[in-house]
Amino acid sequence: MKTYEIVIGLETHIQLNTTSKIFCSCKADSWGAEPNTNICPVCSGLPGVLPVLNVETVRKGALLAAAMHAEINPVSYFDRKNYFYPDLPKGYQITQFDEPIGKGGYMDLQMPDGTSRRVRIHKLHLEEDAGKTKIEDGERLVDFNRCGVPLVEMVTEPDLRSAEEAAQYLTQLRQLLRWIGVSEADMERGHLRCDANVSIREAGSTVLNTKTEIKNVNSIDAVRLAIIEESKRQIEAVEAGQRIQSYTLDWDADTGTLRKMRSKETEADYRYFREPDLLPVVLSAEEIAEVIASLPELPIERRARFIQDYQLSAYDADILTSERSLSDYYEESVRLFGGAAKVVSNWMMNDLSRLMNDTGKSAAELRLRPIDLAEIIRMVEGGKINPATGKSLLGKVEAGGGKPAEIVEREGLGLIADEDALSGQIAAIIAESPAEVESFRAGKESLLGWFVGQVMRRTGGKADPKRTRELLLEQLKR
Amino acid sequence: MSSIRLSARQIAQKVRAGELSALNVLEDHLRQIKAVDGVPGSLQNASLDPAEEGKVHAFIEVSTGLARQQAEKVQTMVQRGEDPGPLAGVPVSIKDIFCVKGTTTTAASRILYNFRPPYTATTVERLEKAGALIIGKTNLDEFTYGSSSESSAFQPHPNNPWNTQRVTGGSSGGSAASVAAREAPLSLGTDTGGSIRQPAAFCGVVGLKPSYGRTSRYGLIAFGSSLDCPGPLARDVSDAALMLQVLAGLDPKDSTSALAPVPDYLAALQEGVRGMRIGLSRDYDHITYPDTLTGEMSVQSIQPEMNSAVRDVAEVLARLGAEIVEDVPMPNARHGIPTYFVISRVEAASNLHRFDGVKYGYRTSAPVRGLSELYRATRAEGFGLQPKLRILMGMYVSAAQHSAQYYQKALRVRSMIRSDFELAFDPQGVYRLDALLTPTTPTTAFRRSEVMGDSVLMQYSDQMTVAGNHAGIPAVSIPAGLDPLGLPIGVQFFGMDFREDLILRAAYAYEQATENADWRRAIPQALRESEVSA
Ligand SMILES: [Zn+2]
């Protein structure tokens, strides 16, 4: 058998997290709402009404374009894409065609094995979503809630070469969308939808063969599995001497199989023309500069900087840049702590991430702020409290107990700083334990641990273990 | 004296002053409708009483209840000493292409025969807020697609009050007829290629197409979205100015509505025409017409009274101190109709997509298997001939393989048509016009059924008006005499962007100067008959 290369392009629909829809004032998100309860004359296509552009969608679209290294188009246009379907109440979709908000662009994929690949963006434009239809008891039902939800459609060039790369693209895209704050990017809620175009070719070849389009893949795992399935099927077909036909395939997540939807030999003619009800979208040089300036440091750049500046491992850097508020939290904590960055990352990778898991909160949502974490770490490192106390403080601050130092004070959690008091306690224990002292002095030095335990019991754990040991040895060997 | 003889200004002034009750004004006009209008247009084509032949049939629906509520509200305000607004108690008829909450809005099409919009068009809302009484919805060509109002699915169609064997023009035919027949002093129409000005000319009333964006399109069922303009029809220039004042201005619900300031149109009328530069163009004294078989274009003369009316008006204005600028070239005027054929139909076909029987309006009652059958049967039964022709044409010229040849080309020609006007109005240019004076139509009102069915010929009756829609500029048609058959002649002033004030000034000056002309004393046939029978 020859070796084959898989050629993949991904078409994504990204739901922007604006407050209202793109052309009317209905809420943008109607997750969980009863059908047709979040609609108005504009988004349900009543006659005579007109769209009014929500400028927030333009800002978010432009920000995404900037994050994808695309050129922000100073003058873009909306067009009508005409076709009939019951979920499309106007009979046309308002979308951008030949002059979209973003032109060009790319994303650099960082594969877990350390390799990277540049994926070019073929198309990036704003559009309105359509509604939903379903068949129930032999009747076709329509829900217009989703009509007019703002979307960015983003299509890659056929630059991906494996199911893993496709999955990685989506993972990185999802992270980026959340990072720059333009979409919740929740695939299960349809905030990020993906169609995959798959073809195969002999390794080393540069031709683009007939592709099939896989629709309805609504998780990253599903995209990976569907591409593996489809490329296997294509290879088997080609090996069997068959020709690949241009199908649209539907992914059935329950059975993990692909079903042929329709043959796509002829392209539909959508009769695009400029939407006469909307003005051109004009962005001045200042507005474009403002968008670019508002773009935060991107995850891939921050990851590299963390490795460089804080000597983090690639693994730690991946985790700590997986989400923007977490990485901001880390940097802020490092700054406030002032000591070794590695100490902070250990706390965050272990104890803080456990706290986030337990509470189900993101870093941004924690009540325990970086200033608190820095203070706790400083107290532990400075010998004011022992590490176990420090860990328990995380939960106490989070539960609303106040500032770490106040809790330590109020609950008497600090280590005994008064050496005379500690010496007194030790002297008392020695006086009360003649047999153990005898044995120790006779050479059974392992009893030192028993003495430390006694001191800890008597001080309620507030004795500094290192100093206790030293004082014990001093007195026992006397 | 019945208030149907009063102008809108007089009615509003008397109602505001408490000299006349809005309720009486309404009753006068309802009585007039009863006397002259005959049966309203409906989908049932029952055989009609021969007497209906002589009726005007301007209305599809007379909204007595709504108007009465509004009249009561106006009276309450007057009694409380509040100002009900500049159109206090003035009945206004509304072309049935505007959505008005509380009325059925049909677009004169079976496919919307039962559509009751849950919202009101911005223009109508502004009229209501100004104290107007929405007296009814007037008939039109189906979806405004025509120039005679005969293609309405709601029959009988409107007849010309001056001669009921003649058409009203269209598509705002019911609106023009209702104003000419004194059923309402004002009407709200729309103009996409001439649909306000042509019926205004045919019915002997004033019709103003504002600049694109001057009046909101929100709530207007779209024909050609880049061309459609709501505007007033009135019996004199001052009433048209008064109504425009109420309609004009930015609407946040229409992104294409204009921010430009709205001047005081009534005040502007008083400024006269001294020093104004009024242009005449030889490109507007004939029409260019294609042979439907060969496609060859041939030049045809227009009815001679049209050109002489233009000369007469020019002479009157010259006497008043205007400067007449001859031979202003409008070389692209002849491309107006072919260009319009393409652009308006592409937009129309797309705008008609939403009428699919799924959400509202007509749905076939025939048993259907599946979705495409539902679409096909609904649209086949619901649309009349004109929408179907326009869908076919629009789909054809915007198809991927034809778009460059037709639609894209038409857009380029459209900007050439606009540049003709830019050149003529350029204040630094050779012509420096304030207005361009032309005939409104190539002929006076043609006979019923004479042109109906010939879509191409019908369209060419808009040849004088359509360039204004391409260019987006304002234009007003005013009565300028009667032809030998006693049919009204209209002339038209084109103006520059958002300078409705200038063309209204010219129109008003002519109107005042010819106030006592004999032809102004002629009474439309439909009114003469009603007066005899009353
Ligand atoms: Zn809405």
Side-chain angles (χ1 to χ4, degrees):
Chain A
M1 194 171 108
K2 300 170 189 141
T3 39
Y4 290 93
E5 178 176 58
I6 311 173
V7 180
I8 305 157
L10 294 181
E11 186 178 321
T12 48
H13 285 91
I14 297 150
Q15 179 175 331
L16 298 177
N17 57 358
T18 53
T19 311
S20 52
K21 292 185 181 180
I22 184 165
F23 299 125
C24 64
S25 52
C26 293
K27 287 197 312 289
D29 198 62
S30 31
W31 181 254
E34 287 293 302
N36 299 310
T37 54
N38 184 29
I39 59 172
C40 71
V42 174
C43 58
S44 55
L46 264 56
V49 296
L50 297 169
V52 176
L53 179 62
N54 172 357
V55 291
E56 190 59 11
T57 63
V58 176
R59 206 194 59 78
K60 292 202 159 163
L63 190 64
L64 177 54
M68 298 304 296
H69 314 97
E71 183 196 330
I72 299 171
N73 204 346
V75 186
S76 64
Y77 292 86
F78 282 99
D79 299 86
R80 289 190 186 176
K81 179 181 181 178
N82 298 284
Y83 64 95
F84 286 100
Y85 204 68
D87 69 6
L88 191 71
K90 295 188 296 299
Y92 55 83
Q93 180 194 28
I94 305 179
T95 179
Q96 296 190 305
F97 182 52
D98 55 341
E99 287 292 347
I101 184 92
K103 285 183 158 175
Y106 60 86
M107 180 193 274
D108 283 328
L109 285 190
Q110 298 294 323
M111 298 304 292
D113 64 5
T115 60
S116 80
R117 182 185 298 284
R118 177 158 292 191
V119 182
R120 292 164 302 153
I121 300 304
H122 171 69
K123 212 174 160 189
L124 191 163
H125 71 245
L126 289 164
E127 63 182 30
E128 60 175 343
D129 205 351
K132 281 191 282 198
T133 69
K134 62 172 177 183
I135 309 268
E136 207 172 272
D137 301 330
E139 276 197 299
R140 190 189 287 265
L141 303 176
V142 193
D143 177 7
F144 290 149
N145 281 351
R146 227 172 59 186
C147 289
V149 166
L151 300 180
V152 168
E153 179 179 317
M154 199 159 82
V155 184
T156 73
E157 296 288 355
D159 287 350
L160 296 153
R161 292 290 173 269
S162 69
E164 271 321 309
E165 288 186 1
Q168 182 62 22
Y169 173 82
L170 288 173
T171 307
Q172 251 176 255
L173 175 62
R174 184 175 61 184
Q175 175 198 23
L176 179 72
L177 295 171
R178 292 173 178 168
W179 188 278
I180 63 172
V182 299
S183 173
E184 303 310 310
D186 184 340
M187 286 188 88
E188 273 165 27
R189 293 193 176 194
H191 297 156
L192 176 57
R193 281 170 260 159
C194 178
D195 302 333
N197 291 312
V198 180
S199 64
I200 56 160
R201 65 186 174 199
E202 265 186 62
S205 162
T206 55
V207 295
L208 284 176
N209 289 316
T210 306
K211 62 178 192 273
T212 55
E213 187 179 6
I214 310 171
K215 294 221 175 244
N216 196 23
V217 268
N218 52 14
S219 74
I220 292 174
D221 281 340
V223 171
R224 187 189 292 113
L225 291 174
I227 292 172
I228 290 170
E229 279 300 305
E230 175 55 11
S231 54
K232 234 193 278 170
R233 184 193 71 83
Q234 288 191 15
I235 291 169
E236 279 164 17
V238 168
E239 286 288 309
Q242 293 160 0
R243 195 172 66 90
I244 301 297
Q245 287 175 303
S246 181
Y247 292 143
T248 298
L249 299 158
D250 194 24
W251 173 249
D252 186 334
D254 295 334
T255 60
T257 53
L258 288 158
R259 203 177 56 236
K260 184 178 154 187
M261 282 167 78
R262 59 177 183 267
S263 164
K264 260 192 93 175
E265 291 295 327
T266 51
E267 276 291 306
D269 183 355
Y270 294 114
R271 300 184 160 79
Y272 285 97
F273 69 95
R274 290 270 182 269
E275 168 56 273
D277 291 334
L278 292 167
L279 301 174
V281 180
V282 180
L283 290 170
S284 65
E286 293 76 46
E287 286 169 313
I288 291 176
E290 222 169 89
V291 167
I292 293 170
S294 72
L295 193 67
E297 182 185 30
L298 297 181
I300 192 168
E301 298 159 358
R302 186 167 284 190
R303 177 182 179 275
R305 189 167 59 78
F306 277 12
I307 293 173
Q308 173 80 37
D309 292 2
Y310 303 134
Q311 286 80 48
L312 296 187
S313 68
Y315 177 78
D316 287 4
D318 271 343
I319 302 283
L320 289 174
T321 58
S322 61
E323 199 239 330
R324 187 173 160 194
S325 74
L326 184 68
S327 72
D328 287 344
Y329 198 106
Y330 172 65
E331 284 221 282
E332 182 70 356
S333 303
V334 167
R335 191 179 66 78
L336 291 167
F337 170 56
K342 180 70 190 159
V343 177
V344 179
S345 62
N346 286 343
W347 275 85
M348 286 194 58
M349 297 289 292
N350 299 308
D351 308 296
L352 196 79
S353 93
R354 191 171 311 121
L355 181 69
M356 286 163 62
N357 275 336
D358 292 349
T359 55
K361 290 179 178 173
S362 72
E365 293 161 345
L366 287 177
R367 184 179 280 174
L368 177 88
R369 300 314 307 150
I371 194 162
D372 305 318
L373 178 64
E375 191 182 340
I376 293 170
I377 301 175
R378 252 200 320 272
M379 286 193 286
V380 172
E381 292 293 304
K384 293 212 174 65
I385 54 174
N386 66 37
T389 304
K391 285 170 195 186
S392 74
L393 273 176
L394 297 178
K396 287 181 176 170
V397 174
E398 186 59 29
K403 295 272 122 195
E406 290 166 18
I407 300 173
V408 168
E409 174 77 10
R410 190 170 66 233
E411 301 187 7
L413 302 174
L415 298 180
I416 296 168
D418 182 346
E419 194 137 314
D420 292 345
L422 189 54
S423 292
Q425 301 278 10
I426 289 171
I429 288 168
I430 289 176
E432 287 161 16
S433 320
E436 285 79 5
V437 174
E438 190 81 7
S439 301
F440 180 83
R441 288 186 176 151
K444 200 175 176 194
E445 300 214 340
S446 62
L447 271 173
L448 182 61
W450 181 86
F451 280 105
V452 171
Q454 293 302 307
V455 176
M456 287 300 169
R457 188 171 308 147
R458 196 171 277 235
T459 60
K462 286 182 284 180
D464 180 346
K466 191 164 152 254
R467 192 66 195 131
T468 302
R469 202 170 282 267
E470 287 164 7
L471 289 172
L472 269 170
L473 285 174
E474 245 174 59
Q475 296 197 24
L476 283 168
K477 290 189 171 164
R478 207 177 274 157
Chain B
M1 188 183 80
S2 168
S3 59
I4 65 165
R5 308 209 170 278
L6 302 178
S7 68
R9 296 178 319 292
Q10 288 168 323
I11 292 173
Q13 184 251 316
K14 285 174 189 291
V15 169
R16 287 162 109 177
E19 294 165 25
L20 185 61
S21 156
L23 284 156
N24 288 344
V25 175
L26 176 61
E27 292 315 316
D28 288 345
H29 286 85
L30 290 173
R31 203 173 307 120
Q32 177 73 353
I33 290 171
K34 201 157 191 196
V36 303
D37 212 59
V39 297
S42 90
L43 289 178
Q44 279 72 44
N45 276 326
S47 59
L48 291 175
D49 186 323
E52 294 288 335
E53 283 288 302
K55 299 292 185 186
V56 177
H57 304 295
F59 288 88
I60 292 180
E61 180 183 353
V62 178
S63 48
T64 312
L66 179 65
R68 206 162 269 153
Q69 272 174 29
Q70 290 163 340
E72 276 161 10
K73 192 176 156 221
V74 167
Q75 279 316 112
T76 311
M77 290 181 81
V78 172
Q79 276 151 21
R80 286 193 193 138
E82 296 162 20
D83 182 5
L87 293 178
V90 177
V92 181
S93 66
I94 308 288
K95 186 178 185 179
D96 200 17
I97 195 78
F98 289 96
C99 294
V100 180
K101 200 174 172 175
T103 71
T104 307
T105 297
T106 68
S109 180
R110 179 181 295 273
I111 209 151
L112 282 176
Y113 77 107
N114 60 355
F115 178 64
R116 294 185 69 86
Y119 47 88
T120 294
T122 299
T123 42
V124 178
E125 216 168 66
R126 289 189 176 172
L127 292 169
E128 288 177 337
K129 247 176 117 180
L133 318 179
I134 306 305
I135 196 167
K137 305 295 285 290
T138 56
N139 214 336
L140 61 148
D141 284 293
E142 183 172 358
F143 279 106
T144 78
Y145 302 161
S147 307
S148 71
S149 301
E150 292 166 289
S151 71
S152 173
F154 289 72
Q155 295 290 333
H157 59 75
N159 293 327
N160 194 317
W162 289 85
N163 179 339
T164 51
Q165 291 306 305
R166 301 265 164 169
V167 300
T168 54
S171 63
S172 308
S175 284
S178 71
V179 172
R182 299 191 179 275
E183 296 168 290
L186 298 175
S187 188
L188 179 63
T190 62
D191 194 312
T192 306
S195 277
I196 287 175
R197 291 162 286 161
Q198 186 253 19
F202 278 13
C203 294
V205 299
V206 175
L208 171 72
K209 173 209 125 40
S211 311
Y212 186 78
R214 179 75 297 174
T215 49
S216 167
R217 292 185 295 117
Y218 183 85
L220 157 64
I221 297 177
F223 165 14
S225 309
S226 72
L227 301 155
D228 293 342
C229 286
L233 292 104
R235 282 195 294 272
D236 66 33
V237 173
S238 308
D239 274 6
L242 172 69
M243 182 163 165
L244 178 64
Q245 196 77 51
V246 170
L247 298 176
L250 182 72
D251 176 10
K253 291 182 193 158
D254 177 359
S255 315
T256 62
S257 74
L259 198 59
V262 180
D264 184 338
Y265 296 115
L266 273 171
L269 301 184
Q270 307 304 327
E271 289 173 35
V273 286
R274 183 160 301 281
M276 270 179 85
R277 292 171 63 84
I278 311 282
L280 300 174
S281 174
R282 291 207 173 157
D283 294 313
Y284 274 90
D285 65 8
H286 61 271
I287 61 170
T288 315
Y289 185 77
D291 185 305
T292 41
L293 293 178
T294 65
E296 285 293 308
M297 299 299 273
S298 64
V299 171
Q300 294 192 1
S301 53
I302 62 173
Q303 200 176 318
E305 292 87 7
M306 301 309 192
N307 287 328
S308 46
V310 167
R311 307 268 7 151
D312 289 349
V313 174
E315 268 166 41
V316 170
L317 294 176
R319 277 204 301 277
L320 295 170
E323 205 173 321
I324 304 301
V325 183
E326 305 262 0
D327 291 337
V328 178
M330 289 280 147
N332 292 298
R334 65 200 174 94
H335 302 308
I337 292 297
T339 305
Y340 179 78
F341 249 98
V342 173
I343 294 173
S344 72
R345 278 143 180 85
V346 169
E347 294 181 2
S350 172
N351 285 330
L352 289 177
H353 266 249
R354 69 185 67 205
F355 305 109
D356 56 8
V358 171
K359 308 169 288 282
Y360 45 75
Y362 180 83
R363 180 188 289 184
T364 184
S365 50
V368 289
R369 283 167 309 164
L371 194 61
S372 23
E373 264 189 46
L374 171 76
Y375 287 158
R376 268 188 221 127
T378 298
R379 289 166 68 88
E381 296 162 22
F383 285 138
L385 178 66
Q386 281 304 320
K388 284 176 188 163
L389 287 173
R390 285 170 202 235
I391 290 166
L392 286 174
M393 175 89 165
M395 298 290 252
Y396 182 85
V397 296
S398 62
Q401 70 271 36
H402 299 130
S403 178
Q405 197 183 347
Y406 292 106
Y407 183 62
Q408 301 302 333
K409 203 175 193 175
L411 292 179
R412 286 197 300 277
V413 178
R414 180 175 183 177
S415 60
M416 287 161 59
I417 293 171
R418 172 152 173 106
S419 61
D420 283 358
F421 288 105
E422 282 174 352
L423 215 60
F425 292 129
D426 181 356
Q428 265 81 54
V430 182
Y431 304 102
R432 305 183 304 282
L433 299 187
D434 295 299
L436 179 75
L437 170 62
T438 75
T440 309
T441 56
T443 65
T444 52
F446 41 86
R447 261 184 284 277
R448 286 159 49 182
S449 320
E450 191 176 61
V451 185
M452 185 61 183
D454 186 338
S455 299
V456 177
L457 186 60
M458 183 69 86
Q459 189 78 85
Y460 272 79
S461 64
D462 293 335
Q463 174 141 170
M464 305 289 183
T465 48
V466 72
N469 301 80
H470 286 309
I473 57 172
V476 62
S477 174
I478 56 165
L482 300 171
D483 77 356
L485 294 171
L487 295 169
I489 296 168
V491 298
Q492 164 182 246
F493 294 96
F494 286 111
M496 58 190 100
D497 295 335
F498 304 113
R499 293 311 302 271
E500 285 81 359
D501 56 331
L502 289 180
I503 55 173
L504 285 168
R505 251 165 77 184
Y508 181 73
Y510 169 76
E511 189 183 78
Q512 290 299 297
T514 55
E515 199 179 12
N516 298 314
D518 287 344
W519 61 268
R520 288 206 185 265
R521 281 196 287 279
I523 294 169
Q525 172 206 6
L527 300 193
R528 291 198 299 272
E529 282 167 9
S530 80
E531 273 163 21
V532 170
S533 65

